[in-house]
């Protein structure tokens, strides 16, 4: 009721608020880094900019993962493999051609998508625990390969040059790159949710046999969804590699990254458009709060686990999913 009264004061209807809040948020995010030009007023906000771009980075991965995991029902705990593929493609060819990995974002996405196509053809034949095990096996296999592949530096990986911007503004390209990529990925997530393709994908997640009998090309839908979910993660890998200025197997090929992605989506709500966004924001903000007060200790894992347990006790379908089922989800978060 309080929210409704606020909108009435400003002459904004409930339906208009659904569009105005996301647009206003986007404008703020676009303008926010510019405060770096006024250090005497706002101080140095480099770390805050880092947190924002870090959140955008994970939003790309969670929204991408949601296509195959949330709508398709294939719980992958190895999607960071495609992050690694995109990073290595961008890193390797940026050194060969003497260009920034930023110019190779599309190439990284295509490379990850092609790799995802062949991985999907093999792994999507199974579901449930078997698929989860196969996704973990993918991480382990790639880790062994890249650790011993001398062409791309082996375990030492590839070192990339720093950008020529000053320290105050060095994060700008990565901030806006991840923001744009996050917007595109979220839109794709929304499009899949409201398309016939997404309807077929959700039908397959419930019953593949009945879907096939109904005339759905099950194999085509599954593999296409898998490729879509890997393409944008590969693009993110290129930007993340440039941001870190190096690419190494022990940075990208760890199960913790994929586990965080899955937990964020579960926290926000699988199979919803805004669930991955909400889950990412809460997860990162909570971890940052714990790190600020308790440091990087085992207590961080303890409290993160407690957050997930408590959330799932009261929000069994994730925060967005549960609120939507109860009819209490704010309209600006109700995108389907």
């Amino acid at each position: 009721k309080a929210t409704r009264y606020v909108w009435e004061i400003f002459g904004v209807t409930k339906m208009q608020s659904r569009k105005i809040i996301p647009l206003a948020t986007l404008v703020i995010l676009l303008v926010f880094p510019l405060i770096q030009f006024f250090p005497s007023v706002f101080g140095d906000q480099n770390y805050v900019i880092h947190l924002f771009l870090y959140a955008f980075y994970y939003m790309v991965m969670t929204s991408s993962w949601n296509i195959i995991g949330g709508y398709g029902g294939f719980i992958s705990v190895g999607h960071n493999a495609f992050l690694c593929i995109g990073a290595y493609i961008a890193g390797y060819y940026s050194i060969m051609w003497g260009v920034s990995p930023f110019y190779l974002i599309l190439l990284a996405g295509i490379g990850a998508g092609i790799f995802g196509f062949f991985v999907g053809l093999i792994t999507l034949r199974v579901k449930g625990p078997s698929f989860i095990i196969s996704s973990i096996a993918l991480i382990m296999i790639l880790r062994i390969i890249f650790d011993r592949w001398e062409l791309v530096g082996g375990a030492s990986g590839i070192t990339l040059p720093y950008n020529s911007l000053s320290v105050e503004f060095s994060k700008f390209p990565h901030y806006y790159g991840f923001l744009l990529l996050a917007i595109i990925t979220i839109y794709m997530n929304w499009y899949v949710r409201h398309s016939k393709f997404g309807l077929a994908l959700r039908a397959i997640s419930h019953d593949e046999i009945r879907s096939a009998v109904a005339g759905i090309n099950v194999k085509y839908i599954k593999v296409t969804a898998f490729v879509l979910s890997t393409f944008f993660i590969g693009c993110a890998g290129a930007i993340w590699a440039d941001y870190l200025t190096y690419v190494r197997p022990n940075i990208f090929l760890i199960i913790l990254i994929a586990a965080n992605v899955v937990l964020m989506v579960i926290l926000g709500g699988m199979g919803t458009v805004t669930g991955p966004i909400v889950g990412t924001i809460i997860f990162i903000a909570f971890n940052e709060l714990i790190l600020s007060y308790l440091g990087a200790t085992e207590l961080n894992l303890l409290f993160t686990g407690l957050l997930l347990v408590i959330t799932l006790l009261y929000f069994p379908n994730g925060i967005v999913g549960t609120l939507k089922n109860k009819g209490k989800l704010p309209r600006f978060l109700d995108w389907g």
Side-chain angles (χ1 to χ4, degrees):
K1 290 182 178 180
T3 305
R4 183 184 66 190
Y5 294 147
V6 171
W7 290 126
E8 288 177 353
I9 291 172
F10 289 96
V12 178
T13 65
K14 195 173 182 181
M15 183 61 71
Q16 288 174 327
S17 69
R18 185 177 185 177
K19 298 179 180 179
I20 288 177
I21 293 180
L23 288 175
T25 303
L26 178 59
V27 170
I28 292 171
L29 292 175
L30 287 170
V31 174
F32 178 76
L34 301 182
I35 66 175
Q36 283 291 86
F37 288 100
F38 308 97
S40 59
V41 179
F42 300 101
D44 186 4
Q45 299 297 325
N46 242 328
Y47 186 67
V48 180
I49 292 174
H50 162 76
L51 285 180
F52 274 113
L53 72 84
Y54 186 65
F56 301 151
Y57 159 66
Y58 263 104
M59 283 180 194
V60 172
M61 291 197 288
T62 53
S63 294
S64 297
W65 185 93
N66 192 49
I67 295 175
I68 190 66
Y71 303 141
F74 289 89
I75 309 300
S76 170
V77 194
H79 251 47
N80 54 315
F82 309 102
L83 181 75
C84 179
I85 294 295
Y88 264 97
I89 290 175
Y92 178 75
Y93 285 105
S94 69
I95 297 297
M96 279 192 62
W97 298 338
V99 298
S100 169
F102 261 90
Y103 297 110
L104 303 173
I105 292 174
L106 187 59
L107 178 64
I110 293 172
I114 293 173
F115 182 67
F117 172 78
F118 290 107
V119 170
L121 284 178
I122 299 171
T123 59
L124 291 174
R125 297 177 182 179
V126 296
K127 199 174 182 180
S130 299
F131 181 79
I132 295 173
I133 293 171
S134 67
S135 66
I136 296 174
L138 176 63
I139 294 293
M140 298 173 68
I141 292 170
L142 286 183
R143 179 68 181 268
I144 294 172
I145 292 174
F146 280 109
D147 273 342
R148 290 161 175 75
W149 195 357
E150 294 300 328
L151 180 65
V152 291
S156 300
I158 303 170
T159 301
L160 303 174
Y162 294 93
N163 62 41
S164 57
L165 297 174
S166 61
V167 176
E168 294 84 358
F169 310 111
S170 61
K171 292 181 173 63
F172 275 36
H174 312 100
Y175 179 96
Y176 286 110
F178 274 129
L179 176 59
L180 177 60
L181 191 58
I183 292 170
I184 296 173
T185 309
I186 291 167
Y187 171 76
M188 179 57 65
N189 196 16
W190 176 88
Y191 181 80
V192 170
R193 170 71 184 178
H194 294 87
S195 65
K196 291 182 179 179
F197 173 83
L199 182 62
L201 184 60
R202 295 198 300 275
I204 291 171
S205 71
H206 287 93
D207 196 317
E208 288 191 22
I209 297 176
R210 289 186 180 180
S211 298
V213 172
I216 297 175
N217 190 333
V218 174
K219 185 177 182 180
Y220 168 79
I221 295 294
K222 289 194 299 184
V223 174
T224 302
F226 196 81
V227 171
L228 275 177
S229 72
T230 60
F231 172 80
F232 295 104
I233 292 181
C235 293
I239 304 176
W240 193 241
D242 186 65
Y243 181 66
L244 295 178
T245 68
Y246 59 86
V247 184
R248 294 174 190 163
N250 63 345
I251 296 296
F252 289 89
L253 294 173
I254 54 176
I255 296 178
L256 180 62
I257 296 175
N260 283 341
V261 170
V262 177
L263 293 176
M264 288 174 183
V265 179
I266 293 174
L267 182 65
M270 292 175 59
T272 63
V273 180
T274 54
I277 304 172
V278 172
T280 300
I281 294 172
I282 292 176
F283 192 91
I284 290 177
F286 183 81
N287 270 279
E288 182 62 23
L289 184 66
I290 296 300
L291 287 171
S292 299
Y293 286 96
L294 300 177
T297 65
E298 288 77 6
L299 289 175
N300 184 29
L301 296 175
L302 172 64
F303 283 106
T304 302
L306 287 175
L307 170 68
L308 292 169
V309 170
I310 293 171
T311 301
L312 292 178
L313 283 175
Y314 293 97
F315 301 93
N317 295 318
I319 295 172
V320 172
T322 303
L323 290 177
K324 184 176 177 62
N325 292 339
K326 293 181 178 180
K328 297 181 179 180
L329 183 67
R331 293 191 68 87
F332 69 89
L333 289 176
D334 190 5
W335 297 359

